[in-house]
Every structure is written in C-alpha cells, then in structure tokens.
Amino acid sequence: MGALKPVLLLLLFALAVAVAAATKEKDPELEQCKHQCRVQQQFDKKRADACIQRCRDYYRQKQGGGGDDDDDEDDLIISLPSERESESQWGSGKEASNNPYVFEHRHFFTGIKTQQGRLQILPKFTDRSPFLRGIENFRFSFLEVEPQSFIIPDHWDAHNVAFVVRGRATIKLVRPEPQGRESFNVQQGDIFRIRAGTTAYMINRDDNQKLLIAKILQPVSVPGHFEAFFAAGGENPESFFRSFSQDILQAAFNTRKETLTRVFGEQKQGMILKASREQIRAMSSDEEESGDSNNSFNIFRQRPTTSNQYGQLYEVDSRDFKQLQDLDVAVSVANVTKGAMTAPVYNSESTKISFVMDGEGYLEVASPQSSVMSEQEQQQQRAQERERRRRGIVAPPSYRRVASGLSPGMVFVVPPGFPYVTVASQKSNLQLLCFEVNAAQSQRFLLAGKKNVLINLEKEAKELAFGIPAREVDEFLKSQQEEFFLRGPQERRSA
C-alpha cells in the first residue's frame, strides 16, 4: 500500500492539471474571444493565430498571471477571422496582407491617463501610408471619462470636431469679452466644435455612465502636430505659467512669490479629476439643452438620408451645422443591420475616417497594388517597370483587396476614389461614425444597387467596356433593387 501512495499522488496531480487545463479552455470569456477570432472573414491564418494568442494573453492577465502588456493596453479584444473563412472564389493571391488603412487598438498611444479617464491618440496618418497625404493635417483621438469627472481647462493649437458616442457632458468655453463664458450640454449623437485657441473644460455630469467622445483635430501651426496648453494646473498637468520667470509672474499678477508657489504648485492629480455631486451640479449648465443650436447639432434629430431594412445612414455637413463650414468636414453615422452590407461605393474627393462605435463586421477596399506593397515588393515592381519600359510594354493597372475584421474602437480610413464595402456580422449591427475631410465638393458614387452609376453608360459604351451585349450588362446592373444598404453575402446564401 505504501508503494502505491506515490503513484496515487502522481495520478491525482495529473488529473488536477488536466482539469485545470480543461477549465481554462472552457472559460466563457476565453472561448468567446477565440470564437470571435474565427467568425469574421478576409484574414490569413497567421493573423487569426495572433488574435487567439492575444485572447490567451488577456486570459492570463485576468487570472493574475501577468504578461508583457502595460497598463495602457485597451481591454477590448480585437476580432480577426480565420483562414478558412477568408477563402474566396476570386483567389487569395490578390488580398493584401499589409493593411495601411486600418488602425487597431495597439496603434493608439495614450496622451493623458488618470484613474478618472484617458485620451487615446492615433499617430499621423501619413506614418502608415503616403496615400493618406490628403488628411496629413488631421489627427484622430477619443476620450473616455468616468462618471462625475472634471477635465481641467486647457487650449489647443488645433480645431476640434467632436462627436458624443456615449454619455452626457457639459462643455464650457472661455473667450475674451464680450463673449466671456459659454456653456452648453451635449449627449449621445451630438456634434460640436471647439475652435483652436479657445480655453475649454468639460464635466461628465452623469452619475453612472462613462463619457466617450471621438474627435478629429486640425492643427493650425505645424501640419499634423498639435499641443495642449494648460493655464490652470500645477505640477500635473504642468501649467505653462511655470515656464515664466518669477519676477515676470509677480509683476504680471501683482502678487508675491509665495502666492505663485501655492497657486501653481498644488495641482498634482492629473488632467481628469473626480468631482463631487455638488460641484458637478454647480457647473452643469441648464441654460442650453443638448440638441440643435449654434454650439451643437444632434445627428439623430433629422431623418436618415438613406434607410431600408438593411441599414440607416445619417449625415450632417456645413449646410446643417455651420460650425463645420470652414473646416470642409462632414459627419455621418451608418448603422448596418446584422448580416447586411453597404454597396460598393467610393467618394470623389473626400477621405473617410471611420470609427467603429459598436458591433462587429469586416471591411474590404479595392486598393492600387502599389499602395499596399512592402518596400521589397516596391523595389521589385520598379525593376519590372524599368524592364517593361525598355521593351515598350505598358502594364495595365493592378489592384489588391485590402481587408480587415472590424470591432469596437477600431478606425479605418478610405482615400478618395478607393471603392470599399463594409459588412455587419451575423450576430450584431455594425455602427460606424465617419468624419469626411474635403467634403464640400465630394460626391458619392454607388457601384451597385438602384442608383449604380454604371447604369448611366450608353449602350455602346457598355458593350465596348464589358465586351458583352448591352442587354446582358443591363440585366446584371439592374438585378439589385435596393439602395446603399444591401442583403449581406451570408444572408443571401441562406435565403
């Protein structure tokens, strides 16, 4: 019996390890995360495996096992599809593995962070692709603020166009007399602008809900680079007054050194602070309610420009909200019904910066081959072009499918002229916030559906361009009767 004890203990240990492993693999959050890596489409196995590895890393962190990620890592899990689901009848050779137009959580950096909130910022768009030069002087960021919080006054050397994704806030603007202080309330769906150089501060006046604001910034000094300036503050954030010499400040404020030290030395808690209910109530404005006004415009208080059972599109431009006029920016929200898709479409002049507010799905962009080539591929292409020119051969244009899974918090950019499609997953609507830059003269060209621009080609043009009788081309182009929002590929297969 004594000899059996070690064997029995060993068997019990092995069983415990097996049970622990099985429990880990069946953890609901881990399994859901891994499932999301497989359900979407258009990525290769390597990327799907990387997604699953991030799921496991997240699980280890949740269990207290630590990891390499720092405190700035977002708690959202990026969903990427599996190799099997990325297969296409068109072949995988034309799909780009390098995607310069999609920004995941790892591409953001944290500009400001306290216990009460954080500001996440994307680097310059041109750091990813020269095809994004059209928005070189624009930046994207989003702000997350805990309930009952105060964001201290500052001014930026950039114009801000902001959209309230979630929550309620009071915005305070401080300008020279006679304007003085302006105050207005905003809520989900509101668009507002803060002009460069305007001292502004903000209160999350909700008792329970986080405030989430997405915004684009247009710097007015250095293209693509902006700075925040804090007058109020102390050591954290540092007041810019601290950079002036003591005698200058004493003369400017007609005060003593000890007073300066106290005024500009006490604040050490950061840019976003917890405020009491009494302080929130005192600062929250009731003078102007959220909605359409000179200061804000709610995108959902008007009829959608396009709507059917597959989705709705809400759009606001400078004709609706004059604060957008000199920036040449438009704002839209698209709600793609689960399982549905947008028609293939491109914009003539505007660059679309899209933020995934909610839901999951995927994106496909038809991109010129050169825009997604690695440096080595570009060198090879240049060598091939030189050889073709030497032989008098003109190469036709070539395109790649640039594809990505989409999940909340991701950003994607589509340059003007690039056709693209977005598809909602089978389990949730896909909600997209879009900022369009250079929007005033831009037109939207639908490439499928009831308003397909190709329908307007003459009979002879259709026959010459497609190489088949115009009757067959018309039958093909007019077979889709919906406009803009369409039944998605999986819905169509199951019908």
Side-chain angles (χ1 to χ4, degrees):
M1 184 68 181
L4 290 175
K5 270 189 175 180
V7 177
L8 182 59
L9 289 172
L10 185 60
L11 287 172
L12 288 172
F13 176 77
L15 180 62
V17 170
V19 169
T23 302
K24 175 181 176 179
E25 288 303 311
K26 291 181 180 179
D27 176 86
E29 287 189 39
L30 177 62
E31 289 303 303
Q32 176 66 14
C33 178
K34 288 163 65 177
H35 173 70
Q36 289 175 357
C37 292
R38 300 185 182 102
V39 295
Q40 298 183 43
Q41 301 179 10
Q42 315 307 323
F43 265 96
D44 55 27
K45 186 174 185 302
K46 182 178 178 182
R47 288 176 178 250
D49 289 344
C51 173
I52 291 173
Q53 184 58 49
R54 284 196 292 272
C55 293
R56 289 171 176 157
D57 291 344
Y58 168 73
Y59 178 86
R60 283 196 295 271
Q61 281 193 307
K62 189 184 79 168
Q63 297 299 314
D68 296 330
D69 298 334
D70 59 29
D71 291 337
D72 293 341
E73 182 66 20
D74 201 300
D75 57 359
L76 294 171
I77 301 297
I78 309 278
S79 299
L80 300 177
S82 66
E83 179 183 40
R84 178 179 60 80
E85 292 169 319
S86 69
E87 293 172 356
S88 167
Q89 60 177 319
W90 304 108
S92 60
K94 302 291 283 183
E95 184 172 344
S97 59
N98 177 32
N99 194 331
Y101 308 122
V102 174
F103 301 83
E104 302 174 11
H105 305 281
R106 60 188 174 87
H107 293 116
F108 286 86
F109 65 89
T110 302
I112 295 167
K113 184 174 182 179
T114 73
Q115 290 185 341
Q116 291 304 115
R118 61 176 178 166
L119 177 69
Q120 296 287 97
I121 305 168
L122 272 185
K124 290 177 63 175
F125 292 109
T126 47
D127 290 350
R128 292 289 300 281
S129 172
F131 279 76
L132 301 181
R133 286 198 191 101
I135 52 172
E136 182 175 19
N137 195 34
F138 284 84
R139 300 287 294 275
F140 178 88
S141 69
F142 70 84
L143 177 70
E144 285 182 296
V145 183
E146 295 291 330
Q148 295 187 341
S149 294
F150 172 71
I151 303 174
I152 74 171
D154 66 353
H155 72 268
W156 298 39
D157 60 347
H159 298 294
N160 284 251
V161 176
F163 181 88
V164 183
V165 177
R166 188 187 311 125
R168 303 182 304 154
T170 296
I171 313 295
K172 304 278 187 174
L173 307 178
V174 182
R175 299 191 181 100
E177 296 294 343
Q179 292 170 298
R181 186 180 71 235
E182 275 189 274
S183 179
F184 59 99
N185 294 332
V186 293
Q187 64 182 13
Q188 184 177 27
D190 277 344
I191 305 162
F192 65 95
R193 174 182 176 177
I194 300 177
R195 292 182 173 272
T198 301
T199 297
Y201 54 108
M202 188 183 306
I203 304 105
N204 181 355
R205 55 195 174 93
D206 199 281
D207 290 338
N208 303 302
Q209 190 176 34
K210 275 188 179 183
L211 175 68
L212 177 58
I213 293 178
K215 55 186 176 179
I216 57 169
L217 302 99
Q218 185 188 50
V220 296
S221 180
V222 181
H225 180 83
F226 62 89
E227 295 284 354
F229 296 86
F230 295 90
E235 292 184 7
N236 180 23
E238 182 181 8
S239 169
F240 58 71
F241 280 117
R242 290 166 62 98
S243 63
F244 290 101
S245 57
Q246 289 281 341
D247 56 343
I248 290 291
L249 292 178
Q250 289 178 55
F253 289 99
N254 189 27
T255 190
R256 297 178 301 172
K257 179 179 178 181
E258 293 77 12
T259 304
L260 290 173
T261 301
R262 176 169 174 77
V263 171
F264 296 121
E266 289 296 313
Q267 174 57 273
K268 300 174 184 177
Q269 299 179 60
M271 174 185 173
I272 308 172
L273 310 173
K274 180 73 174 178
S276 69
R277 288 187 178 181
E278 292 73 21
Q279 291 171 322
I280 294 291
R281 193 177 299 114
M283 289 186 291
S284 295
S285 169
D286 293 322
E287 297 174 3
E288 181 182 307
E289 287 301 318
S290 168
D292 302 350
S293 69
N294 291 331
N295 290 305
S296 66
F297 188 96
N298 193 283
I299 200 167
F300 301 122
R301 293 195 178 184
Q302 57 184 12
R303 295 174 62 86
T305 52
T306 299
S307 178
N308 60 25
Q309 62 180 313
Y310 302 114
Q312 301 83 37
L313 177 66
Y314 299 85
E315 297 180 287
V316 170
D317 59 21
S318 59
R319 292 169 295 183
D320 306 302
F321 186 37
K322 296 194 182 301
Q323 297 263 17
L324 302 175
Q325 197 161 33
D326 60 312
L327 297 179
D328 198 3
V329 168
V331 183
S332 62
V333 170
N335 176 50
V336 189
T337 306
K338 62 182 179 180
M341 62 181 280
T342 60
V345 63
Y346 70 88
N347 295 304
S348 62
E349 297 183 38
S350 65
T351 299
K352 183 180 287 286
I353 305 168
S354 298
F355 176 71
V356 182
M357 296 192 294
D358 198 15
E360 295 175 341
Y362 65 92
L363 163 78
E364 289 190 3
V365 181
S367 176
Q369 177 115 346
S370 59
S371 70
V372 288
M373 284 182 170
S374 66
E375 187 174 343
Q376 183 178 0
E377 288 175 324
Q378 290 176 7
Q379 291 174 353
Q380 291 174 351
Q381 185 191 47
R382 286 192 289 268
Q384 291 170 356
E385 287 177 351
R386 287 194 296 269
E387 178 61 20
R388 281 194 292 265
R389 284 197 300 269
R390 187 184 67 79
R391 298 167 59 186
I393 300 173
V394 178
S398 181
Y399 309 96
R400 281 193 186 183
R401 180 179 64 216
V402 179
S404 173
L406 298 175
S407 61
M410 293 177 67
V411 172
F412 66 88
V413 179
V414 182
F418 283 45
Y420 71 97
V421 173
T422 53
V423 183
S425 74
Q426 291 291 104
K427 63 180 182 180
S428 64
N429 290 7
L430 179 64
Q431 297 178 11
L432 302 172
L433 164 66
C434 306
F435 296 101
E436 291 192 25
V437 178
N438 302 323
Q441 302 301 318
S442 186
Q443 290 183 291
R444 182 166 56 233
F445 285 74
L446 290 168
L447 300 171
K450 190 161 58 175
K451 293 188 177 180
N452 184 347
V453 296
L454 299 177
I455 293 174
N456 297 326
L457 295 174
E458 296 127 314
K459 172 186 174 182
E460 294 76 12
K462 290 172 183 172
E463 291 180 343
L464 289 167
F466 288 96
I468 59 175
R471 174 182 53 79
E472 294 182 41
V473 177
D474 282 333
E475 184 179 345
F476 166 74
L477 294 177
K478 295 178 180 179
S479 60
Q480 175 59 262
Q481 293 301 305
E482 297 291 348
E483 180 187 342
F484 196 86
F485 295 104
L486 316 175
R487 183 168 57 178
Q490 293 187 32
E491 291 287 324
R492 184 176 180 277
R493 283 196 296 268
S494 62

